[in-house]
Amino acid sequence: MKNQKLKFKLFISGMSVKSGRAIENIKAIGDQQLKGNYELEIVDLMKSKEKAIEFQIVAIPTLIKYEPAPLRTLVGDLSDTKKVLRILEIE
């Protein structure tokens, strides 16, 4: 990455096991692979239901990488690090 900070939104629903795992996994990827060069916003759809419509969220947990472009979306607990890095286009 060319020193550009990656920006993510992680959509969860309450603190389910899957949501907790997704949070842990993306933070681990961010700390280990991105060396902390990222911003993560966690959106709990139990508290912000309108965000599901705004961002067209149909399954949770969902991770959206919105900066830098292009936009990338992943669904699931993000446990397959290699797959996450490939889909997010992070070397």
Side-chain angles (χ1 to χ4, degrees):
M1 304 291 350
K2 302 170 187 102
N3 292 336
Q4 186 171 8
K5 190 168 273 201
L6 285 107
K7 295 185 180 179
F8 302 102
K9 286 186 189 294
L10 177 62
F11 295 86
I12 61 169
S13 182
M15 278 312 298
S16 68
V17 172
K18 229 177 169 181
S19 293
R21 251 192 239 125
I23 293 167
E24 288 175 13
N25 290 334
I26 193 59
K27 284 183 175 181
I29 289 169
D31 293 343
Q32 295 165 8
Q33 303 293 326
L34 304 174
K35 308 291 188 244
N37 191 30
Y38 71 103
E39 288 180 19
L40 175 63
E41 178 185 352
I42 298 172
V43 180
D44 186 343
L45 296 177
M46 298 290 280
K47 297 176 183 172
S48 303
K49 291 177 174 56
E50 71 282 354
K51 297 285 186 184
I53 296 167
E54 180 183 344
F55 290 93
Q56 301 178 351
I57 304 301
V58 295
I60 47 171
T62 295
L63 178 73
I64 297 177
K65 176 190 75 94
Y66 60 96
E67 283 185 21
L71 185 96
R72 294 283 180 233
T73 303
L74 280 137
V75 176
D77 69 4
L78 312 171
S79 58
D80 186 341
T81 301
K82 287 182 181 179
K83 180 179 177 183
V84 171
L85 294 173
R86 185 180 75 246
I87 291 172
L88 295 178
E89 296 182 339
I90 299 169
E91 294 87 35

